[in-house]
């Protein structure tokens, strides 16, 4: 089982889009995937077909409790083939303020379940734009972190800060956590600023930056709004699906960073 948290401290950097793109690539391969939505905005949950209010347990219920193996009770089917979801809800926003020992360990404990390991070779965690308790839970539970960013000044600063947070988690909580890479998305067809920032990120981080970028295409937002995987859009958006396919290979360890 591979568990990957998709992170960036800055909002609007394409985290949910990246999670959905990876889930779409996995679905196209027939790889059973569990998406855990820890973002109170609920974008990934809604794109996967969750209607609100949710009937049953959510990610907020999971993190509010402290029960080993509890994740299996919060799994919902999605509208995508081979993809299940533990949905977000607005109550997640309150959990960043929860005090107490061990709060950051709850997701890892909840995922400690033989049925989860058997059913899902891939788990993807969509994180909020912060470095609080929700992101700590994700990084402590994960095997790897994929940083999603866009080619802008503020987003590139967010990459630096989230990498520092990952180092802290590695040092004190999860020494086996690795950085799967940095995926640059929302890249416009033209734009000097975007090209400059993308080059700046590559110069700073080298091979950690994935070779393919996700270009900005209306079809990506339309697919999410229609609750469809981007790999099912016709005509195919080849430059987008190729980038997500390559990112999935990196997450699964099929391509070395």
């Amino acid at each position: 089982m591979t568990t990957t948290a998709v992170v960036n401290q800055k909002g609007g950097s394409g985290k949910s889009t990246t999670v959905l793109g990876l889930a779409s690539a996995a679905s196209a391969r027939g790889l059973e995937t569990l998406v855990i939505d820890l973002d109170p905005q609920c974008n990934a949950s809604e794109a996967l077909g969750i209607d609100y209010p949710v009937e049953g347990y959510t990610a907020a219920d999971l993190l509010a409790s402290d029960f080993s193996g509890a994740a299996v009770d919060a799994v919902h089917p999605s509208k995508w083939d081979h993809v299940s979801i533990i949905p977000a809800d607005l109550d997640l926003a309150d959990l960043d303020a929860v005090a107490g020992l061990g709060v950051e360990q709850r997701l890892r404990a909840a995922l400690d379940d033989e049925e989860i390991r058997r059913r899902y070779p891939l788990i993807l965690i969509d994180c909020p734009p912060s470095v609080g308790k929700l992101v700590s839970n994700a990084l402590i539970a994960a095997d790897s972190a994929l940083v999603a960013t866009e080619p802008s000044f503020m987003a590139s600063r967010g990459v630096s800060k989230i990498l520092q947070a990952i180092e802290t988690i590695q040092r004190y909580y999860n020494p086996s956590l690795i950085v799967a890479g940095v995926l640059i998305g929302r890249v416009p067809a033209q734009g000097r600023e975007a090209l400059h920032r993308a080059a700046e990120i590559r110069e700073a981080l080298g091979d950690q930056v994935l070779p393919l970028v996700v270009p900005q295409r209306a079809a990506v937002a339309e697919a999410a709004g229609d609750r469809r995987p981007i790999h099912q859009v016709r005509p195919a958006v080849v430059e987008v699906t190729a980038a997500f396919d390559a990112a999935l290979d990196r997450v699964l360890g099929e391509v070395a960073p």
Side-chain angles (χ1 to χ4, degrees):
M1 186 175 77
T2 297
T3 302
T4 297
V6 178
V7 293
N8 194 319
Q9 185 188 25
K10 181 186 176 296
S13 55
K15 293 180 295 299
S16 296
T17 298
T18 298
V19 168
L20 294 171
L22 292 171
S24 176
S27 175
R29 299 183 193 186
L31 184 67
E32 294 297 323
T33 301
L34 174 62
V35 172
I36 302 175
D37 192 354
L38 295 186
D39 190 341
Q41 296 182 74
C42 310
N43 292 333
S45 299
E46 291 178 344
L48 288 168
I50 295 296
D51 293 316
Y52 288 87
V54 176
E55 294 185 8
Y57 295 118
T58 68
D61 297 313
L62 205 62
L63 297 186
S65 63
D66 190 12
F67 297 108
S68 180
V72 68
D73 296 325
V75 173
H76 296 245
S78 83
K79 291 190 175 181
W80 295 15
D81 293 339
H82 307 292
V83 179
S84 301
I85 173 81
I86 296 179
D89 66 39
L90 292 175
D91 289 341
L92 280 168
D94 299 329
L95 289 171
D96 264 344
V98 173
L101 294 174
V103 172
E104 296 92 344
Q105 310 276 351
R106 288 182 179 175
L107 183 59
R108 180 160 67 180
L111 290 172
D112 186 15
D113 180 81
E114 186 58 38
E115 184 174 350
I116 291 288
R117 286 189 285 268
R118 177 178 55 81
R119 286 170 59 182
Y120 301 109
L122 176 63
I123 296 176
L124 301 170
I125 308 174
D126 189 15
C127 295
S130 72
V131 288
K133 296 281 176 57
L134 295 174
V135 175
S136 295
N137 263 279
L139 293 174
I140 290 170
D143 304 303
S144 65
L146 180 68
V147 181
T149 188
E150 60 180 356
S152 70
F153 173 70
M154 294 304 295
S156 61
R157 290 187 65 187
V159 171
S160 175
K161 291 180 179 179
I162 198 65
L163 289 175
Q164 291 173 8
I166 291 169
E167 288 180 3
T168 300
I169 294 293
Q170 289 170 324
R171 185 178 306 117
Y172 295 108
Y173 296 101
N174 187 1
S176 62
L177 178 68
I178 65 169
V179 177
V182 177
L183 179 63
I184 303 175
R186 297 184 175 181
V187 179
Q190 296 180 342
R192 291 183 180 179
E193 172 68 9
L195 291 175
H196 172 71
R197 295 303 173 189
E200 190 175 69
I201 293 169
R202 290 189 185 281
E203 183 177 356
L205 300 176
D207 291 342
Q208 283 188 312
V209 183
L210 276 68
L212 296 182
V213 302
V214 182
Q216 191 172 50
R217 296 289 185 272
V220 175
E222 290 168 2
D226 292 339
R227 298 180 166 186
R228 284 196 299 158
I230 188 63
H231 285 69
Q232 290 184 4
V233 170
R234 295 293 179 271
V237 193
V238 177
E239 64 274 23
V240 173
T241 56
F244 286 131
D245 287 336
L248 181 61
D249 288 340
R250 177 71 74 90
V251 162
L252 295 175
E254 296 177 12
V255 177

